[in-house]
């Protein structure tokens, strides 16, 4: 029991946010009289928040360095405007247009990363300038008008569902099979990681508790996939989001670059003295943010089926809030991809649940602000307690 308490205290930020997410789901499931977890509404929550979660993954890396990116909403809107112009106005094929839009996102990230990393202009200033510039360029590209509709092939690639190749009638068997395979893969990978930690002398959960953790997670995910299978199965955007979570969890947790990012945020001077090219790390973090902003812009445009001058408004604030609520530290060096996703889901479920209950937009903003303030206050409190 004492070991469990020590492990809980060591991971209190992540565990606390998971508990908060479960509590919020149960609360709104009761307040909405069961509407929250209906299959259609779960699908809506995924599609409504997918682009924020994608941005939160990239924003996490920026926050790990002790900085933020204020331009991501404007960059996402600009990429959407450029892609829509190519596909609708210029009649270019979908695939080349999407690839060029992604390359443009990387170029924008490299442009901002160059000024931040090599000229050491504060990221706040560079990305604030980017927010203004790319919002203006979006208006120039669209001439203040909305471009719609998108080509059907593009719209389907974003807003469609994975087909049921297993031939289910009232239930999408493919969705269940994919989630079950993902659970088994995670359990196998986590078991290997556990054995390596034991071999290296690290403290781990006892085998019964580890088994309970895997079974609980598996039961929750299978219940979630069952609800999706009752509707239309797995949305393509959920598969995209899941792939990004796996890729960036691997990058941050298992690669040299990921360790360098954490080292940079922990103490840049110490990281530089240890031989890390901190300028290169800084540059790549913002280049990556440009890429994910482009992906989010395309996903949002596909869901909206239009490129709008007002697209991307406040996306950066939602992404930053998701990271902080998910346990990232404002001082850098602390945070996980899973935590950012949990934070984004908390924000998304709050929005969705309050809308169903009938809470006005004004009060929704108040609640979201208080939740963000509470999460950061909790982070500061736990850091001070750990320091003592």
């Amino acid at each position: 029991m004492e070991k469990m308490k020590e492990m809980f205290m060591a991971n209190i930020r992540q565990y606390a946010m998971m508990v908060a997410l479960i509590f919020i789901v149960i609360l709104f499931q009761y307040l909405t009289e069961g509407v929250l977890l209906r299959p259609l509404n779960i699908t809506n929550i995924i599609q409504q928040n997918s682009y924020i979660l994608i941005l939160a993954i990239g924003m996490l890396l920026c926050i790990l360095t002790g900085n933020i990116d204020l331009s991501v909403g404007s960059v996402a809107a600009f990429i959407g405007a450029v892609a829509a112009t190519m596909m609708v106005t210029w009649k270019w094929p979908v695939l080349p247009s999407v690839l060029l839009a992604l390359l443009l996102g990387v170029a924008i990230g490299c442009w901002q990363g160059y000024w931040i990393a090599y000229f050491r202009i504060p990221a706040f200033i560079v990305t604030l300038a980017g927010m203004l510039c790319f919002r203006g360029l979006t208006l120039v590209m669209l001439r203040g008008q909305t471009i719609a509709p998108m080509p059907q092939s593009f719209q389907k690639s974003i807003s469609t569902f994975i087909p049921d190749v297993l031939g289910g009638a009232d239930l999408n068997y493919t969705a269940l099979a994919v989630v079950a395979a993902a659970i088994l893969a995670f359990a196998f990978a986590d078991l290997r990681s556990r054995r390596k930690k034991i071999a290296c002398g690290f403290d781990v959960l006892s085998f019964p508790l580890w088994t309970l953790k895997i079974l609980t997670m598996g039961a929750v995910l299978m219940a979630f996939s069952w609800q999706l299978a009752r509707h239309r199965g797995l949305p393509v955007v959920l598969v995209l989001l899941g792939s990004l979570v796996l890729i960036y969890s691997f990058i941050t947790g298992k690669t040299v670059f990921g360790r360098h990012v954490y080292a940079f945020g922990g103490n840049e001077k110490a990281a530089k003295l240890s031989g890390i090219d901190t300028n290169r790390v800084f540059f790549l973090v913002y280049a990556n943010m440009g890429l994910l902003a482009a992906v989010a812009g395309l996903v949002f445009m596909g869901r909206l089926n239009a490129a709008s001058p007002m697209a991307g408004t406040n996306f950066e604030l939602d992404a930053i809030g998701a990271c902080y609520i998910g346990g990232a530290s404002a001082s850098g060096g602390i945070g996980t991809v899973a935590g950012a996703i949990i934070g984004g889901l908390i924000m998304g479920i709050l929005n969705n649940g309050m809308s169903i209950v009938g809470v006005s937009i004004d009060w929704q903003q108040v609640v979201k602000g208080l939740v963000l303030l509470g999460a950061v206050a909790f982070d500061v409190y736990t850091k001070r307690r750990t320091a003592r």
Side-chain angles (χ1 to χ4, degrees):
M1 182 62 68
E2 189 65 27
K3 182 179 289 189
M4 286 180 61
K5 183 178 179 180
E6 291 177 2
M7 295 188 68
F8 178 80
M9 293 304 297
N11 299 275
I12 190 169
R13 293 182 184 88
Q14 185 172 347
Y15 289 149
M17 291 306 106
M18 290 179 64
V19 171
L21 176 61
I22 294 171
F23 172 77
I24 290 169
V25 169
I26 294 174
L27 174 64
F28 281 106
Q29 177 70 356
Y30 170 75
L31 292 177
T32 61
E33 299 180 351
V35 174
L36 181 73
L37 294 182
R38 286 181 183 173
L40 178 59
N41 195 58
I42 292 177
T43 302
N44 288 336
I45 291 174
I46 294 170
Q47 294 178 334
Q48 288 169 0
N49 296 280
S50 55
Y51 39 89
I52 299 299
L53 297 177
I54 291 170
L55 289 175
I57 294 172
M59 189 66 71
L60 174 71
L61 297 182
C62 298
I63 291 175
L64 287 176
T65 66
N67 297 276
I68 57 175
D69 189 337
L70 294 175
S71 68
V72 293
S74 297
V75 172
F78 177 62
I79 294 299
V82 171
T85 300
M86 288 189 290
M87 289 186 284
V88 178
T89 306
W90 298 346
K91 306 298 183 182
W92 286 15
V94 170
L95 183 58
S97 300
V98 169
L99 292 177
L100 286 174
L102 294 176
L103 289 175
L104 179 59
V106 174
I108 291 171
C110 291
W111 165 257
Q112 297 192 133
Y114 176 75
W115 293 105
I116 295 169
Y118 295 101
F119 276 76
R120 289 296 168 155
I121 300 175
F124 182 89
I125 300 300
V126 173
T127 58
L128 177 61
M131 180 179 70
L132 299 173
C133 290
F134 293 111
R135 179 59 62 184
L137 289 173
T138 301
L139 296 173
V140 170
M141 285 293 300
L142 297 178
R143 299 178 182 178
Q145 299 178 344
T146 298
I147 296 180
M150 295 298 106
Q152 192 173 11
S153 58
F154 174 77
Q155 187 185 4
K156 284 186 176 181
S157 66
I158 299 296
S159 58
T160 190
F161 294 77
I162 301 298
D164 187 8
V165 297
L166 299 181
D170 298 327
L171 202 63
N172 191 305
Y173 293 149
T174 301
L176 297 174
V178 169
V179 174
I183 294 170
L184 291 175
F186 174 80
F188 177 73
D190 201 48
L191 180 61
R192 288 186 60 188
S193 175
R194 182 177 183 277
R195 288 175 176 172
K196 289 181 180 179
K197 289 179 180 178
I198 292 174
C200 295
F202 291 106
D203 289 333
V204 297
L205 288 174
S206 64
F207 188 75
L209 287 176
W210 177 86
T211 304
L212 178 62
K213 181 188 80 169
I214 296 297
L215 291 176
T216 302
M217 184 201 72
V220 171
L221 290 179
M222 286 306 298
F224 169 76
S225 65
W226 179 271
Q227 290 293 83
L228 290 178
R230 289 175 56 200
H231 180 48
R232 296 177 61 185
L234 296 176
V236 169
V237 71
L238 177 61
V239 177
L240 171 62
L241 179 61
S243 301
L244 290 174
V245 169
L246 290 176
I247 291 169
Y248 282 89
S249 294
F250 177 79
I251 290 173
T252 55
K254 302 293 184 181
T255 66
V256 173
F257 174 73
R259 296 188 184 97
H260 287 178
V261 173
Y262 280 101
F264 185 112
N267 190 321
E268 182 184 354
K269 290 182 179 179
K272 194 170 186 177
L273 289 172
S274 67
I276 296 173
D277 187 348
T278 54
N279 289 342
R280 179 175 175 271
V281 171
F282 222 173
F283 176 81
L284 291 177
V285 163
Y286 279 88
N288 173 76
M289 187 71 258
L291 172 63
L292 290 182
V295 174
L298 292 171
V299 169
F300 181 74
M301 185 178 67
R303 178 179 176 272
L304 195 64
N305 196 25
S308 168
M310 299 307 295
T313 303
N314 291 334
F315 280 13
E316 60 280 347
L317 302 182
D318 288 336
I320 293 169
C323 293
Y324 285 146
I325 291 172
S329 173
S331 58
I334 297 175
T336 62
V337 172
I341 297 299
I342 290 172
L345 288 175
I346 288 175
M347 298 285 277
I349 292 173
L350 280 173
N351 284 335
N352 184 268
M354 287 189 292
S355 297
I356 296 173
V357 172
V359 178
S360 67
I361 297 295
D362 305 336
W363 284 106
Q364 288 186 31
Q365 298 297 323
V366 172
V367 172
K368 288 166 62 178
L370 291 175
V371 169
L372 176 57
L373 178 62
V376 176
F378 179 76
D379 173 65
V380 172
Y381 169 75
T382 53
K383 286 178 67 176
R384 288 179 178 174
R385 184 171 179 177
T386 303
R388 294 197 194 102

